[in-house]
Amino acid sequence: IERTLSIIKPDATRRNITGEIVARFEKAGLRVVASRRIRLSEMQAKAFYAVHAEKPFYGSLVAFMTSGPVVVQVLEGENAIAKNREVMGATNPEKAAPGTIRKDFAESMEANSVHGSDAPETAANEIKFFFSDLDIV
Ligand code: ATP
Ligand code: MG
């Protein structure tokens, strides 16, 4: 059994579709074992996306991620990391497969509704970024 970090991004909380997105996770066999609605500070968003610090879209991404509330969640299941990324679809919604969250809900490459960890080590670090062991049940 594996765990991954999911973020429902501000474009999705603004449109009040967090429940629809969580339903996609649950239908895929992923279980929400921790969940919190928060507003990211600029410092938190910059730190979370530090790996992208040199990318041209970094400043805009940080502004977007702090533009409204997000829902941070730990998802658990068999192959949770890969399964979550499958359910999310490609980063660019125009390239995302039919039936994926980003195909159905994303507004743009930046405002693409969800984040999901991309590997076991990043998943562990991203979960620790937001949750303590006691938060995860
Ligand atoms: P995430 O890390 O959010 O799960 P990802 O792994 O599919 O998505 P990354 O390449 O890690 O994509 O980029 C992180 C986020 O930065 C993307 O989800 C998107 O919001 C934004 N982003 C990535 N590439 C671009 C781009 N070319 N233009 C604008 N925003 C971008
Ligand atoms: Mg990524």
Side-chain angles (χ1 to χ4, degrees):
I1 209 104
E2 193 174 66
R3 286 173 178 170
T4 189
L5 183 89
S6 163
I7 303 179
I8 303 178
K9 296 185 178 182
D11 66 286
T13 61
R14 182 166 42 73
R15 285 175 286 153
N16 203 27
I17 55 172
T18 63
E20 284 189 69
I21 290 173
V22 172
R24 302 287 183 103
F25 298 147
E26 291 182 337
K27 279 185 194 129
L30 295 166
R31 183 177 298 271
V32 178
V33 293
S35 181
R36 197 159 70 243
R37 182 173 167 110
I38 57 172
R39 179 99 184 216
L40 290 177
S41 69
E42 191 178 337
M43 254 179 62
Q44 277 179 310
K46 280 182 170 167
F48 186 82
Y49 281 115
V51 64
H52 295 305
E54 305 307 319
K55 306 268 174 66
F57 58 80
Y58 181 64
S60 176
L61 177 62
V62 168
F64 164 63
M65 289 300 290
T66 56
S67 68
V70 299
V71 179
V72 292
Q73 300 189 300
V74 179
L75 306 180
E76 185 180 87
E78 293 294 337
N79 296 313
I81 296 167
K83 192 174 283 179
N84 181 38
R85 288 183 73 85
E86 201 178 298
V87 173
M88 286 163 53
T91 310
N92 182 349
E94 285 171 18
K95 294 188 179 151
T100 61
I101 292 169
R102 283 166 168 170
K103 179 68 174 186
D104 292 345
F105 299 123
E107 296 181 326
S108 67
M109 181 103 163
E110 176 177 85
N112 60 3
S113 305
V114 280
H115 163 84
S117 309
D118 60 11
E121 201 191 338
T122 44
N125 288 333
E126 291 179 359
I127 289 169
K128 260 192 287 178
F129 191 92
F130 291 110
F131 296 100
S132 80
D133 284 348
L134 289 173
D135 295 326
I136 303 170
V137 291

